[in-house]
Amino acid sequence: MPVAASELRQLCCDADLVPVTLGGCSEVLDVGREHRLVTGPIRTALMVRDRGCAFPGCDKPPAACHAHHVVPWQSGGVTSVENLVLVCAHHHGIVEPTADPPGRRWEIRIGADGVPEVLPPVHVDRSRRPRRHQRFRAPLSA
């Protein structure tokens, strides 16, 4: 039996669950260029999506992470879930843009399927094959 979105939000609230509405009208998950810092609803959506630092192998929890703009805000990037990823302070320093050209440093992006992925520099992997945190890999079928 189908349930209306408003009824589902009520049920989630009653069950002490945090509803994350991607693109819904309940919470604003894209503040564009109006704000550089993430809002509470955007941070919640990032915590649900990324579940901690998105850098492969890192085990820092969401509360220990920064919201990093994939396209830097100062370069015209927007403050939206689609342009943000959670990274710990250490990995934030590694993926933060520098004067080095692409390919000479670690980069982070959101994949076509909405999952964060990290691109290593050419001295680590000449093909720069995107890497994902283990938590984003599909479980193996039995």
Side-chain angles (χ1 to χ4, degrees):
M1 169 185 274
V3 177
S6 59
E7 188 175 314
L8 181 58
R9 281 191 287 276
Q10 172 88 33
L11 291 170
C12 287
C13 183
D14 291 346
D16 278 333
L17 298 174
V18 177
V20 176
T21 309
L22 300 177
C25 58
S26 297
E27 296 179 322
V28 177
L29 299 181
D30 182 342
V31 293
R33 302 272 312 144
E34 186 177 344
H35 299 284
R36 182 178 67 84
L37 301 178
V38 299
T39 62
I42 290 174
R43 176 117 184 130
T44 299
L46 291 171
M47 291 170 65
V48 170
R49 184 193 69 197
D50 297 350
R51 302 186 307 266
C53 180
F55 207 91
C58 188
D59 64 355
K60 295 289 186 198
C65 292
H66 303 164
H68 169 74
H69 285 82
V70 175
V71 175
W73 193 83
Q74 64 272 21
S75 298
V78 297
T79 302
S80 71
V81 173
E82 293 80 18
N83 189 46
L84 292 161
V85 63
L86 290 181
V87 287
C88 68
H90 172 73
H91 290 117
H92 200 179
I94 290 174
V95 299
E96 192 64 27
T98 64
D100 292 332
R104 300 280 315 261
R105 60 182 171 80
W106 289 90
E107 295 176 71
I108 196 161
R109 69 184 185 192
I110 305 298
D113 59 355
V115 174
E117 48 190 32
V118 176
L119 301 168
V122 293
H123 71 272
V124 173
D125 178 358
R126 292 193 74 63
S127 67
R128 301 197 75 209
R129 179 182 49 84
R131 300 172 183 203
R132 292 182 172 192
H133 196 287
Q134 181 70 28
R135 74 175 73 94
F136 299 125
R137 296 192 182 140
L140 297 175
S141 300

